[in-house]
Amino acid sequence: MQTTQDFLMTVRTRFAPSPTGYLHIGGVRTALFNWLFARKHGGQFILRIDDTDAGRNIEAALAPILHGFKWLGIDWDEGAEVGGPYAPYYQSQRLERYQAAVKALLDKGLAYWDYSTEVERKAEREAADKEKRPHHYSRRWLAETAADRAKFEAEGRQGSVRLKMPREGTCEFNDHIRGPMKVAWAQEQDHFITRTDGSCLYNLANVVDDFDMKITHVIRAEEHLSNTPRQIFIAQGLGYPLPEYAHLPFVAEPGSKRKLSKRELEKYLKNADFKKVNEHGRAIAEKLGLEMKPETFNPVIVDFYEQVGYLPQAVVNYLLLLGWAYDDKKEWFTRQEMIDLFSLEKVNKAAASFDVKKLFAFQEHYMQELPLEEKVRRVLPFLEKAGVPSGQAAGTVAAIVRAAGDRIKVAGDILDYCDFFTPDDRLKYDEKAFDKSIRNDANALPLLKRVADLLAKAEPFETAALEKLLHDFLQAEGLKFNRLHAPLRVALTGKAVGFGLFDTLAILGKERSLTRIELAAGRVNV
RNA sequence: GCCCCCAUCGUCUAGUGGCCUAGGACAUAGCCCUCUCAAGGCUAAGACAGGGGUCCGAAUCCCCUUGGGGGUACCA
């Protein structure tokens, strides 16, 4: 639905994370939709920092969040780090603006000083509940004049400001996702807008910031739908034009409809898919020696994906489809397509549950599409971090990546193939496989020895040539390939599974292949 | 309690009154390919929450029930 406003003003959307130290997947989805909407309409996306009640070290807690957005390619035109014409973008630095707004509301009689105590409020609420009547604050400790205030303060009471909400009529607004909304004002309470310490509350700060920063479209999670009337009351009281609203469904837990939370990790780990993806990531992180605090290193946190070697486009593409679809066919979107095709009208109304397995499927797809050199480029830092000497290995890495093919699903999977870099005499063997394919197979050793002789003369020592050489040999001997396959693989890699055999030989090279065969032969009788 | 929002395969979804014996994707199962493991190909199984209406005709519109979620905070 287009409104006149869309044509007259440039679209401005915002996302306002609080500096918590990590970027939550649900938050990213909201941010992504805001970003997409702004980009589509040639507008601006603003990253404002909601640090109203954050601790001291805001910069440190903010860093991973900004980093996450950068990694995903969600850039912002104004806000943290970049500044902009409506600075400051940190709520902690905008206190005067809020105070001015509170004063204006007070002056207009749309808010009042209240001197009730928590105990008194609770008593009123409970009395109303008991009689099963809708509760409204009695306004008994409302102070209209300076004299009233002085009187209450003399009693030792502390005042804070709350909204004088209407108790009749209805608040109507349009939501771009949910359509026309209508709520009775009587449902609203006299919400507080300041604390006794003078600081301001969310509803107030939010409205003021959105106005000051000329936000045209408020695109946010569904839990704010019920907050909208009170925010409209504030905005109208202050004489602000109303933004357009769009309330996104929330992202739900794996396999459930409950809202995804950062605190329920234990529960998510009971979900088989979630567990699997989590463990896959942890295995990689372990090889890298990364710190893995479960609260910050898990599939609900964006950092997880970067550290393990996912592709940002996979994460973004998956998130795009979480609650939004273009049609019944298109699944893969380039950046530009997302921007061109995105629209709020196609956002779903129902919560969508977070399915890591599907995210993983997107990752596989994008990884497969990556050109070899790009894959190598992405994999190299992981080898380095894991302590594989990078210098002379560079050529080998490309050969490994090529031979690995689709087996490398995330960049960190390269660490599964580090055995090519371990010195031959330090190779670890899967004993079960060794027993089965070599030690207990009487034919294995003699065959390996003959093959070694053959390989010693092989030239060139390349995949295709080796394949022909060995196949011809086996045919001449009247042997099936299976006879050689398992023993040779175990001898070369110590494992029962791996790349194509000829690729493996070629990557190791003649000398190391022969050495490994010899070493394997040597340990048969140990 | 009160108010608001939501409801299609296990999951993400297409579907805006006839094109629906409900389409796609992920996951699952089977088969094929194959030097192991992957990848790939083919096939299968799998949903309109329930009940009432409206209409010639309903997944689509209305009502009720059920279930889920949110708000009702000096949280955001």
Side-chain angles (χ1 to χ4, degrees), chain A residues 95-267:
Chain A
L95 269 24
E96 296 112 69
R97 287 290 307 146
Y98 309 146
Q99 276 151 8
V102 170
K103 185 172 184 302
L105 253 12
L106 243 16
D107 289 346
K108 290 183 184 177
L110 296 170
Y112 59 88
W113 280 97
D114 181 63
Y115 283 85
S116 63
T117 64
E118 200 182 336
V119 176
E120 286 158 351
R121 290 193 299 272
K122 200 173 161 215
E124 283 198 356
R125 223 172 6 238
E126 281 170 0
D129 281 352
K130 214 169 188 172
E131 295 169 33
K132 297 200 168 172
R133 64 182 154 79
H135 166 251
H136 276 128
Y137 173 50
S138 66
R139 294 179 182 163
R140 219 171 110 191
W141 293 277
L142 172 157
E144 256 169 345
T145 63
D148 292 340
R149 294 187 60 189
K151 198 188 92 198
F152 281 129
E153 276 163 23
E155 290 173 21
R157 288 173 178 274
Q158 286 189 305
S160 48
V161 180
R162 54 202 299 193
L163 260 15
K164 197 166 190 177
M165 297 292 287
R167 291 181 178 177
E168 276 167 9
T170 55
C171 173
E172 294 183 29
F173 63 98
N174 183 61
D175 187 281
H176 280 249
I177 292 166
R178 277 148 227 282
M181 299 292 303
K182 199 171 173 183
V183 183
W185 282 119
Q187 287 308 320
E188 291 289 315
Q189 303 297 327
D190 286 356
H191 302 284
F192 283 91
I193 52 176
T194 73
R195 298 187 176 90
T196 39
D197 66 5
S199 62
C200 289
L201 267 352
Y202 169 77
N203 284 123
L204 191 269
N206 201 263
V207 171
V208 171
D209 288 344
D210 284 346
F211 169 72
D212 283 354
M213 295 173 190
K214 298 201 160 37
I215 302 303
T216 58
H217 293 73
V218 171
I219 302 168
R220 69 209 331 183
E222 186 185 4
E223 57 258 42
H224 294 285
L225 187 60
S226 308
N227 294 336
T228 307
R230 73 198 66 153
Q231 292 178 3
I232 286 176
F233 177 80
I234 295 172
Q236 285 178 333
L238 260 11
Y240 298 167
L242 255 29
E244 300 287 319
Y245 293 102
H247 288 93
L248 269 23
F250 53 81
V251 177
E253 297 176 339
S256 127
K257 288 289 176 202
R258 228 163 251 134
K259 189 176 147 195
L260 189 67
S261 137
K262 41 215 158 194
R263 296 186 219 298
E264 308 254 26
L265 192 63
E266 286 297 316
K267 192 161 81 186

Side-chain angles (χ1 to χ4, degrees), chain A residues 303-314:
Chain A
D303 252 16
F304 174 91
Y305 300 98
E306 184 188 5
Q307 296 196 344
V308 168
Y310 282 70
L311 265 8
Q313 58 267 45

Side-chain angles (χ1 to χ4, degrees), chain A residues 14 39 45 64 163 213 245 403 444 453 461 487:
Chain A
R14 49 71 169 169
R39 291 288 170 265
F45 174 62
L163 260 15
M213 295 173 190
Y245 293 102
D453 291 341
F461 210 79

Side-chain angles (χ1 to χ4, degrees), chain A residues 318-346:
Chain A
Y318 170 73
L319 255 19
L320 174 71
L321 262 21
L322 198 55
W324 182 86
Y326 178 65
D327 61 15
D328 62 339
K329 293 280 183 296
K330 194 164 173 58
E331 291 247 282
W332 314 108
F333 294 81
T334 63
R335 259 322 135 129
Q336 198 54 49
E337 287 173 329
M338 290 182 195
I339 292 170
D340 293 342
L341 269 19
F342 183 77
S343 71
L344 290 174
E345 284 66 37
K346 282 177 171 285

Side-chain angles (χ1 to χ4, degrees), chain A residues 419 421-429 516 519:
Chain A
D419 278 351
F421 299 105
T422 53
D424 302 326
D425 54 357
R426 296 228 311 264
L427 187 66
K428 291 217 169 58
Y429 295 84
R516 287 191 174 191
L519 286 165

